[in-house]
Amino acid sequence: MTDTTLNLWRRHLGTVPGAVWDRTELTVLILAETGITEVPPAVGRLHRLRTLDLGHNRITEVPPELGALTGLTDFLYLHDNALTALPAALGRLTGLRYLNIGENPIAELPDALGAMAGLVELRAQHNRLTELPETLGGLRALRELQLRGNALTTLPGSFTGLTELRELELRENALPEVPSVLAGLPLLRRLDLRGNRITALPDWLGDPAALPALEKLDLRWNAVDPAPALLSALAARGCHVLH
């Protein structure tokens, strides 16, 4: 570890020592599995941080001062905590490439999330989301989106703007159909729809212009029986369908 990295992983801290927030030279701070329940506003002092790991704790909220860490470009881990909401100030982290907010009882994502234009990977698995903000389409650099284990019934129309998306996991939601907003995504390779409420497939799936890069379509654990003609059309395009 360099002197700009502080790794306190699995140290049984309970509370982060105050001296940590004075380490303004830090570029990497790892506080995963330390038993902490809160993050003080002083976190906003660490302007040079590129990676911040707060995963696997019992944090109930993160302060808006987190948005002051505009140097965060690599990773922000907030997963496996007790967060019920995220501050709108996260939208200021426009250079961040990876965000994991999974395994939290979050019921709603802030509109400001759509301003995080640098995101390449967003993980929001096993939250309590019933819908996504329309602003999500602003994540034009996004390549991977993990939404497993929520309660989504639809996707926002702005999804058509996610033209860099390669992998989309919608497993274990409540989707009654394959969302039509996916039809124009030119680079989507893997679409996981396992364990939803899909009973029929749309005709547009057979159109070569719809999802032209699709390599894998997973429909297992849905009450759907794809027509042989549709399966043949997808196979001819190099797409493997699991059902």
Side-chain angles (χ1 to χ4, degrees):
M1 295 294 179
T2 68
D3 57 3
T4 61
T5 293
L6 180 57
N7 186 354
L8 297 173
W9 178 53
R10 287 188 171 176
R11 305 279 183 88
H12 298 292
L13 300 175
T15 301
V16 182
V20 169
W21 312 120
D22 295 326
R23 297 281 307 275
T24 55
E25 79 282 2
L26 290 177
T27 58
V28 176
L29 176 58
I30 300 172
L31 293 167
E33 295 187 63
T34 52
I36 61 175
T37 59
E38 63 178 357
V39 181
V43 69
R45 299 177 192 162
L46 306 183
H47 295 292
R48 297 182 183 178
L49 279 185
R50 295 197 308 267
T51 290
L52 176 59
D53 188 349
L54 297 168
H56 298 283
N57 284 297
R58 299 191 296 272
I59 301 167
T60 57
E61 63 179 337
V62 288
E65 285 78 6
L66 206 63
L69 303 180
T70 53
L72 276 178
T73 54
D74 296 348
F75 303 96
L76 176 56
Y77 299 96
L78 297 172
H79 60 293
D80 289 279
N81 275 288
L83 300 173
T84 57
L86 298 171
L90 279 185
R92 295 172 59 191
L93 305 181
T94 56
L96 186 66
R97 289 178 292 202
Y98 176 101
L99 175 62
N100 190 342
I101 56 173
E103 317 293 340
N104 281 289
I106 298 170
E108 185 178 7
L109 298 179
D111 287 342
L113 191 72
M116 301 178 72
L119 280 183
V120 173
E121 183 170 340
L122 172 59
R123 292 180 171 263
Q125 69 281 359
H126 294 119
N127 296 135
R128 297 179 183 174
L129 303 174
T130 58
E131 60 181 1
L132 300 173
E134 189 66 36
T135 57
L136 203 68
L139 304 180
R140 299 302 175 91
L142 200 64
R143 293 187 174 210
E144 184 173 340
L145 179 55
Q146 302 284 336
L147 292 164
R148 176 180 179 176
N150 282 286
L152 299 172
T153 58
T154 187
L155 298 179
S158 67
F159 245 68
T160 56
L162 302 180
T163 54
E164 290 295 318
L165 199 62
R166 269 78 163 172
E167 184 168 341
L168 176 58
E169 185 181 47
L170 290 164
R171 180 179 177 177
E172 296 164 15
N173 276 278
L175 295 168
E177 60 186 4
V178 181
S180 60
V181 292
L182 303 180
L185 298 183
L187 302 178
L188 190 65
R189 296 197 300 255
R190 295 178 179 84
L191 176 57
D192 190 342
L193 291 165
R194 280 178 282 179
N196 278 276
R197 300 173 183 174
I198 299 169
T199 58
L201 297 181
D203 292 338
W204 59 259
L205 268 178
D207 184 348
L211 301 178
L214 197 63
E215 298 173 355
K216 181 179 180 180
L217 174 61
D218 201 332
L219 296 165
R220 287 176 288 176
W221 311 315
N222 285 281
V224 62
D225 187 16
L230 177 57
L231 292 176
S232 296
L234 289 168
R237 288 157 45 191
C239 178
H240 179 52
V241 180
L242 299 175
H243 60 95

